[in-house]
Amino acid sequence: MGTYSQWFQNGRNVVTSITEALQQREDLQAIVQIGNVADAESFGGLTERIHLVKRIPQLSMLVRADILITNGGFSSTWEACYFGVPVVVFLYCNNGFGNVARLSGDFANVSSSVVLDLLK
């Protein structure tokens, strides 16, 4: 969710949509940084393949990641490019609009089915 996650009006819905989609894909495991959207425990019982964390060293994760789902912020976008990690973006605000060559999602209208389609 990034540095400014507490400002994302739809942040909790985005995390819920992403975790619901990931739970349907038994071939995937994920670490989802939720920032200040909510406490991880408030998202209920998730499979052991999905880990919700407040913060994580992003570069350490990107060297191992197969995909990054982000809001299109500067650091995340360019760090993913550096490591050659494909990016799915649910664009929200600020510098994200200028950082993304292709828009892959709409932050206001995200759902688990949208996330599943983008993970194909």
Side-chain angles (χ1 to χ4, degrees), residues 15-16 65:
V15 172
T16 299

Side-chain angles (χ1 to χ4, degrees), residues 4 7-8 71-74 90-99 107:
Y4 304 106
W7 295 344
F8 298 161
N71 68 334
F74 180 80
F90 290 105
L91 202 52
Y92 176 66
C93 68
N94 300 332
N95 62 4
F97 295 98
N99 294 334
F107 196 86

Side-chain angles (χ1 to χ4, degrees), residues 9-52:
Q9 295 174 356
N10 201 29
R12 185 174 177 82
N13 182 57
V14 170
V15 172
T16 299
S17 297
I18 290 169
T19 56
E20 286 176 357
L22 290 168
Q23 288 188 103
Q24 295 178 50
R25 291 283 307 268
E26 293 187 17
D27 59 320
L28 299 177
Q29 56 180 312
I31 297 173
V32 181
Q33 178 176 299
I34 61 173
N36 295 320
V37 167
D39 290 322
E41 298 78 29
S42 70
F43 289 95
L46 298 173
T47 67
E48 59 186 39
R49 300 175 291 101
I50 302 168
H51 304 277
L52 301 182

Side-chain angles (χ1 to χ4, degrees), residues 81-117:
C81 290
Y82 177 83
F83 288 107
V85 176
V87 179
V88 171
V89 177
F90 290 105
L91 202 52
Y92 176 66
C93 68
N94 300 332
N95 62 4
F97 295 98
N99 294 334
V100 183
R102 258 186 330 194
L103 178 61
S104 298
D106 178 357
F107 196 86
N109 296 307
V110 65
S111 67
S112 59
S113 61
V114 168
V115 175
L116 276 172
D117 287 343

